[in-house]
Amino acid sequence: MSNSEIEIVVDDPTAPEADSPAVTSTRVADVTVSLLLLVLAATLGFDNWRTGIAWDSTGPEAGYFPFYLSVILGGASLYGLLTAFLARKEASETFVTRAQLRRVMAVFVPTLLFCLATQFLGLYVASFFLIAAFMRLVGRIALWKSLLTAVVFTAIMFVTFDIAFDVIMPKGPLEAAFGH
């Protein structure tokens, strides 16, 4: 038996159940994404049309290139809609099951909360909470390891961006209390 015929099987104890019910089909996901992109393309196209999509004496106006990029995005969205409606086999395939969606949400929700918290707490404090929470809740790592890693990583980020490179990052009340 050659090495290319050896199959390695790794069981993931946290893998989603195989018999989890479907949440949505591939066709619904394709149509939804295509419609959202089409709305985005129309909004960007209209806004850039108002800005100006012609050539003036100095060259293209500010909306010229973005307008045509939105036209391309709109065309690609229409193509996606057309192929989603014409596809027969993929239409009934499961896009995501309930168990899979639960795993995705376990990452998406904290990341969304991180983005919102950054507006009020600043990047470094929000990063500390995100890292510590992910390590503790998702990774099931010991609390002291999670907190230590979050402190070290946040400190390294602060030294690298704020001190070494002098990059302006969103600050919160804690950084203001320390004079940064």
Side-chain angles (χ1 to χ4, degrees), residues 83-167:
T83 56
F85 284 121
L86 293 178
R88 300 269 186 249
K89 180 182 174 196
E90 294 92 18
S92 62
E93 289 181 9
T94 298
F95 179 72
V96 67
T97 64
R98 187 176 297 152
Q100 291 169 336
L101 186 61
R102 192 177 308 118
R103 290 180 74 160
V104 170
M105 287 298 151
V107 174
F108 176 74
V109 171
T111 305
L112 178 65
L113 292 174
F114 164 74
C115 294
L116 295 173
T118 299
Q119 303 302 312
F120 302 104
L121 301 176
L123 179 68
Y124 303 112
V125 175
S127 294
F128 168 81
F129 286 126
L130 179 73
I131 294 165
F134 260 107
M135 289 181 71
R136 182 70 181 143
L137 302 175
V138 177
R140 293 184 175 86
I141 296 174
L143 181 61
W144 73 270
K145 289 179 184 177
S146 302
L147 293 175
L148 179 63
T149 303
V151 165
V152 169
F153 181 78
T154 304
I156 290 171
M157 277 182 28
F158 180 78
V159 168
T160 302
F161 293 118
D162 257 55
I163 296 173
F165 293 118
D166 197 27
V167 177

Side-chain angles (χ1 to χ4, degrees), residues 50-80:
R50 286 185 320 115
T51 304
I53 61 169
W55 284 77
D56 63 9
S57 60
T58 61
E61 292 179 335
Y64 182 81
F65 291 112
F67 174 79
Y68 287 105
L69 288 175
S70 63
V71 169
I72 292 169
L73 178 61
S77 301
L78 290 173
Y79 175 79

Side-chain angles (χ1 to χ4, degrees), residues 23-35 84 90-93 95:
V23 174
T24 188
S25 68
T26 301
R27 175 180 280 167
V28 171
D30 288 346
V31 169
T32 302
V33 170
S34 293
L35 287 174
E90 294 92 18
S92 62
E93 289 181 9
F95 179 72

